């Protein structure tokens, strides 16, 4: 049921998203959510390579075939969690070239990622940030670190209170925020570089199972939500355009 290359990009086009990229499948690091790496890399958009300590031996061979390295520093669906300090150090040290290390780092874990990026002079992208991380990221940016970050559309429009109604459909990583923390994200949008889908094409049967995976589909809903926010005066056209497109 996962997207192959054709299906994923078809959904992206249907949602009118101008920027598309596939992340690593949680249970198959060599593949992406849009299909096999071999297939998707022929397209002009790009994929992320998933990192494990064992995969560092292949970094040089893929550095020109991916637009970044995805590292899961906190719990996710599948076996890609990197929670050992030695493995994290090896991954950051081994990643060659200027392309970013893109981290799933919840809470204070983002500080560990920033320290490693400084240590090995790597560009860093923090995926799906939460309110408690904004100040740390802003500080690193002011100190000269090459750092960018993103927020997901579901964390802008869904709150912790929605879990009661949506149940496991609202199970995300990182979890949905409180109303107060969500407002902090809106207030600090000037610190955010990208609005991301974090698109996870799980089928409804999975999400309603006894062990539901994290994540939610998002390719078809992101742009309409951004346009609605602009219409309501929550976002400027300039920010909306900048955050979901690449010049």
């Amino acid at each position: 049921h996962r997207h192959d290359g054709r299906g994923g990009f078809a959904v992206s086009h249907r949602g009118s998203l101008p920027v598309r990229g596939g992340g690593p499948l949680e249970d198959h690091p060599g593949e992406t959510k849009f299909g096999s790496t071999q297939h998707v890399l022929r397209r002009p958009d790009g994929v992320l390579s998933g990192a494990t300590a064992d995969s560092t031996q292949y970094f040089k061979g893929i550095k020109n075939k991916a637009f970044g390295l995805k590292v899961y520093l906190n719990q996710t669906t599948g076996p890609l969690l990197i929670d050992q300090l030695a493995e994290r150090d090896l991954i950051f040290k081994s990643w060659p070239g200027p392309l970013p290390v893109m981290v799933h780092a919840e809470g204070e874990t983002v500080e560990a990622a920033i320290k490693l990026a400084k240590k090995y002079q790597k560009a860093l992208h923090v995926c799906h940030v939460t309110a408690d991380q904004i100040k740390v990221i802003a500080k690193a940016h002011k100190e000269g670190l090459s750092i960018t970050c993103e927020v997901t559309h579901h964390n802008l429009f869904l709150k912790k209170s929605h879990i009661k109604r949506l149940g496991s459909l609202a199970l995300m990583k990182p979890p949905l925020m409180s109303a107060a923390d969500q407002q902090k994200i809106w207030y600090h949008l000037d610190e955010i570089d990208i609005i991301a889908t974090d698109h996870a094409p799980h089928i409804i049967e999975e999400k309603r199972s006894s062990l539901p995976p994290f994540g939610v589909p998002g390719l078809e809903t992101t742009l309409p939500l951004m346009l609605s926010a602009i219409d309501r005066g929550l976002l400027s056209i300039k920010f909306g355009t900048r955050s979901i497109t690449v010049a």
Side-chain angles (χ1 to χ4, degrees), residues 103-152:
V103 294
H104 170 110
E106 296 180 38
E108 296 179 355
T109 310
V110 72
E111 296 183 42
I114 289 172
K115 288 179 180 178
L116 286 169
K118 287 181 178 178
K119 180 179 180 180
Y120 293 111
Q121 297 183 316
K122 304 297 182 183
L124 183 70
H125 179 77
V126 183
C127 300
H128 33 64
V129 299
T130 50
D132 58 333
Q133 298 176 324
I134 294 293
K135 289 185 178 179
V136 175
I137 293 170
K139 181 175 181 289
H141 190 268
K142 289 178 181 178
E143 292 174 352
L145 181 68
S146 177
I147 184 170
T148 54
C149 65
E150 68 185 44
V151 66
T152 62

Side-chain angles (χ1 to χ4, degrees), residues 175-235:
L176 294 178
M177 293 179 262
S178 67
D181 281 345
Q182 187 185 68
Q183 281 302 111
K184 289 179 184 177
I185 290 289
W186 279 100
Y187 184 78
H188 291 287
L189 278 181
D190 58 325
E191 301 288 351
I192 304 294
D193 299 282
I194 298 170
I195 303 295
T197 68
D198 199 26
H199 179 68
H202 304 299
I203 58 175
I204 195 72
E205 288 81 5
E206 285 181 305
K207 292 295 288 183
R208 288 179 172 163
S209 69
S210 59
L211 293 172
F214 300 113
V216 64
L219 286 177
E220 295 175 278
T221 55
T222 300
L223 184 59
L225 285 169
M226 293 302 103
L227 292 175
S228 176
I230 291 170
D231 185 60
R232 292 161 57 193
L234 298 174
L235 292 177

Side-chain angles (χ1 to χ4, degrees), residues 38-96:
Q38 182 180 4
H39 179 72
V40 179
L41 286 176
R42 296 179 186 146
R43 300 178 178 270
D45 305 78
V47 295
L48 293 176
S49 175
T52 64
D54 290 338
S55 71
T56 56
Q57 61 185 306
Y58 305 112
F59 283 0
K60 289 183 179 180
I62 64 172
K63 68 175 183 177
N64 297 320
K65 298 179 180 180
F67 63 75
L69 181 73
K70 184 69 176 286
V71 185
Y72 293 87
L73 303 183
N74 291 100
Q75 182 187 10
T76 184
T77 302
L80 291 180
L81 173 63
I82 308 296
D83 57 358
Q84 299 298 311
L85 295 181
E87 291 186 353
R88 292 176 178 178
D89 192 276
L90 175 63
I91 289 168
F92 272 78
K93 179 182 179 180
S94 302
W95 180 242

